[in-house]
Amino acid sequence: MRDEEQEELARKAAGGDRGALEKLLAAIQPSVLRRCARFLPCYQDAEEACQDVLMQVARNIGGFEGRSKFSTWLHVIIANGSRQTYRTLKRRAAEQGYAEMPIDVADARTTSVIAGSRLDLLDALEKLETSKADLVAPMVLRDICQLDYREIAVHLGIPEGTVKSRIHQARGQVREYLLAGM
């Protein structure tokens, strides 16, 4: 589906068109799953996050005002949903007595480094969020969701220079957390 068609479906769905919402959800599901998988180390976790994101889109589409592109709005929901799924999984692991989140990885020779790096990054983002929450969203939107600075500025309602500054600060903090091993 072309971006223009997706934007039109989003506008109709935001206006209350249930048919447009169903078409939109079906169209974005594969992309949402791929993007959730960028955050989370296990495919099953990405699937769980994807379902949560689709539910959030369905519940909150009425709040989509069209100030930014639908894809930008969706990226924010994906980032927040994936990070929330990670927090939930981490909490469940702690409740079950694990010191760290267990990871089921198909091929440990190739995937474990990637999965471990993602978990380290998510932990660093969580730590950053507790100390400097305003730095997390710009970095996630730029480095993980791969939005351009202008899109991030429009979505967050802050100047582009502030976006760049916050991303720079966030990267420095995350780098420190990762190098220190948290």
Side-chain angles (χ1 to χ4, degrees), residues 36-122:
C36 288
R38 285 184 184 171
F39 281 90
L40 299 162
C42 299
Y43 189 76
Q44 295 83 359
D45 299 339
E47 287 177 323
E48 182 178 331
C50 176
Q51 290 305 310
D52 291 344
V53 167
L54 293 175
M55 286 177 25
Q56 287 295 323
V57 169
R59 274 192 218 121
N60 298 313
I61 192 69
F64 173 64
E65 299 170 349
R67 287 185 308 133
S68 61
K69 294 192 303 188
F70 173 73
S71 58
T72 302
W73 185 79
L74 180 61
H75 281 300
V76 173
I77 295 175
I78 292 169
N80 291 339
S82 296
R83 290 175 44 232
Q84 183 58 45
T85 297
Y86 174 70
R87 283 187 210 106
T88 301
L89 293 169
K90 193 173 173 182
R91 187 180 64 249
R92 280 188 212 151
E95 289 169 357
Q96 293 174 1
Y98 293 105
E100 293 183 14
M101 232 176 67
I103 304 173
D104 292 331
V105 180
D107 184 353
R109 292 170 298 170
T110 59
T111 316
S112 63
V113 171
I114 295 167
S117 297
R118 286 184 193 161
L119 293 177
D120 290 343
L121 177 60
L122 287 167

Side-chain angles (χ1 to χ4, degrees), residues 167-179:
I167 290 169
H168 177 75
Q169 290 175 44
R171 286 174 179 162
Q173 286 291 149
V174 166
R175 187 179 304 114
E176 284 181 28
Y177 295 147
L178 292 174
L179 291 175

Side-chain angles (χ1 to χ4, degrees), residues 135 138 149-150 152-154 157-169:
L135 301 181
Y149 295 114
R150 184 188 48 75
I152 297 167
V154 168
I158 58 177
E160 198 170 315
T162 303
V163 168
K164 291 177 182 180
S165 173
R166 288 181 183 176
I167 290 169
H168 177 75
Q169 290 175 44

